[in-house]
Amino acid sequence: MAIPMLRASAPPAHLRALFHSNVKKPLHVHRLPCSPPELNPVLQAQKHEVTSESGLSLFVGTHLIPHPNKVDKGGEDAFLVSGFNGAVIAVADGVSGWAEQNVDPSLFSKELIAHALSLLGDEEANYNPRMLLNEAHAATSSIGSATIVVAMLERDGILRIANVGDCGLRVVRGGQIIFSTSPQEHYFDCPYQLSSESVGQTYRDAVVSTVEVIEKDTVIMGSDGLFDNVFDHEIVSILAKHDDVSEAAKALANLAREHSVDSSYDSPYSIEARTRGFDVPVWKKALGFKLTGTGHGLPFSFSLFVCAVSRISEKYYLFNFISVVSSSCLLLSGGKLDDITVIVGQVVRPHGS
């Protein structure tokens, strides 16, 4: 559950909004269906051979599993895979809290990705993922917001990455993670996000990274539905079991979904929440209370805490966390149910190059 930065001013409504299943909240719709071919059909793994005329390229497998409540529209994540220059991959995660404003959160992420795809040949964005974010964001007219990560592989092996928010990327070499992006947050569960509103972030806020990859390296990109539920060591283990990139992507997505509904699993998300202080008093734990995974039928992250936000000088700030008293929901643990998008790319050198 991520927290919004909205231009509304009624805290009670925001409190109620937090008790809807796994709502990621926006910084503050026009119905514009943008679903390029690179946006995967639901629950289908696909393989994309992203090759260039010479130099290094990617052999890519993808898999998307939408939140159970969002299957009909394919979830709110969007992604692209392109062979432009060396290769370009990207994942955008629509901020779910817009549903509380009666808009479709998937429209912004899908339009953002569609524009990124169409702008790949633009001279200013060439080999520059940050500028690609800038141009795609400026072209997006839908109301909403999204976190996004973009990676461009040049033929000489330079991987350029721009990241806004909590989508992520890992590079694995020889069974070890040699590079990892870090999420950007205003505070816990309120990620940086490109938005239609002025309170959101811009391309200038993107973290830009450069890493040199070599043949047989593996690039893993995903929405927070992957990284909130799967540890890095599990990613490495899955890759060791699957040589095929599409099977690896499918296995990672399935593992994330399995963890997301497991109330006993101590997920990266729940560990981070406790690290940030979102837990119950020690005396309650001493009495032996345990989390069953739900409180009044709600996922743990919505049953334990309510976040109230207040408008201060045109901005919203976290001002209170309230523990929900429930005998069935006292110890913070479990996975995080969410849309899950996974891209696995193996760095290859085409024959003859």
Side-chain angles (χ1 to χ4, degrees):
M1 172 185 61
I3 309 302
M5 297 185 69
L6 291 167
R7 289 185 177 275
S9 57
H14 294 157
L15 297 180
R16 292 194 299 272
L18 289 178
F19 284 88
H20 288 263
S21 182
N22 284 298
V23 177
K24 174 177 279 186
K25 309 306 269 183
L27 283 170
H28 205 313
V29 187
H30 302 12
R31 184 163 293 278
L32 192 129
C34 295
S35 299
E38 287 75 6
L39 304 184
N40 261 27
V42 176
L43 294 172
Q44 292 185 9
Q46 291 191 358
K47 188 181 297 182
H48 314 260
E49 189 168 5
V50 182
T51 60
S52 57
E53 295 179 359
S54 62
L56 296 177
S57 58
L58 289 178
F59 196 62
V60 177
T62 60
H63 199 71
L64 188 156
I65 304 178
H67 186 290
N69 295 341
K70 305 169 187 177
V71 172
D72 290 346
K73 63 179 177 181
E76 294 161 357
D77 288 355
F79 68 89
L80 73 83
V81 173
S82 172
F84 182 77
N85 286 329
V88 180
I89 56 176
V91 172
D93 181 354
V95 176
S96 302
W98 287 99
E100 300 300 328
Q101 309 300 315
N102 296 317
V103 299
D104 184 347
S106 70
L107 297 182
F108 188 92
S109 58
K110 290 180 179 179
E111 186 185 355
L112 183 66
I113 285 291
H115 285 307
L117 179 64
S118 67
L119 288 164
L120 288 179
D122 183 85
E123 182 177 353
E124 187 174 2
N126 193 22
Y127 295 117
N128 191 331
R130 175 182 270 175
M131 292 310 300
L132 180 63
L133 289 181
N134 179 39
E135 295 190 20
H137 186 198
T140 300
S141 60
S142 295
I143 296 174
S145 56
T147 62
I148 186 169
V149 58
V150 178
M152 293 179 164
L153 176 63
E154 299 178 16
R155 295 180 180 124
D156 61 0
I158 299 300
L159 185 68
R160 302 187 186 279
I161 305 146
N163 183 50
V164 177
D166 55 7
C167 290
L169 181 145
R170 308 285 189 269
V171 177
V172 176
R173 177 182 300 164
Q176 294 186 333
I177 292 179
I178 64 165
F179 174 82
S180 175
T181 57
S182 297
Q184 298 168 289
E185 294 180 320
H186 297 282
Y187 43 84
F188 179 68
D189 221 14
C190 182
Y192 280 25
Q193 52 204 263
L194 298 182
S195 174
S196 58
E197 303 299 302
S198 60
V199 294
Q201 280 63 61
T202 72
Y203 74 102
R204 294 186 180 90
D205 297 296
V207 174
V208 177
S209 308
T210 300
V211 58
E212 185 173 359
V213 297
I214 60 176
E215 190 175 2
K216 297 184 179 180
D217 281 356
T218 303
V219 179
I220 303 93
M221 179 181 283
S223 59
D224 64 332
L226 171 64
F227 299 110
D228 280 345
N229 290 296
V230 179
F231 290 97
D232 283 352
H233 69 85
E234 293 178 299
I235 292 175
V236 172
S237 178
I238 289 290
L239 293 179
K241 296 176 183 177
H242 298 278
D243 293 330
D244 183 272
V245 289
S246 62
E247 288 301 315
K250 181 179 180 179
L252 284 170
N254 286 339
L255 181 62
R257 172 46 51 86
E258 177 184 332
H259 286 337
S260 73
V261 297
D262 184 354
S263 63
S264 64
Y265 174 67
D266 207 11
S267 66
Y269 182 80
S270 60
I271 291 174
E272 178 67 14
R274 294 200 305 272
T275 300
R276 301 290 189 92
F278 303 122
D279 209 346
V280 297
V282 174
W283 67 267
K284 291 184 178 180
K285 295 180 185 178
L287 295 178
F289 292 110
K290 293 184 179 180
L291 174 67
T292 63
T294 59
H296 305 294
L298 298 168
F300 81 84
S301 55
F302 299 89
S303 309
L304 284 173
F305 299 101
V306 176
C307 174
V309 286
S310 173
R311 184 178 183 177
I312 303 175
S313 302
E314 296 297 325
K315 295 183 180 180
Y316 281 83
Y317 295 93
L318 180 69
F319 74 81
N320 193 22
F321 280 92
I322 306 171
S323 176
V324 175
V325 179
S326 169
S327 62
S328 65
C329 189
L330 288 173
L331 181 60
L332 186 57
S333 64
K336 178 188 176 187
L337 197 61
D338 202 350
D339 295 324
I340 299 163
T341 298
V342 182
I343 299 176
V344 176
Q346 185 177 47
V347 179
V348 297
R349 186 179 299 277
H351 297 298
S353 66

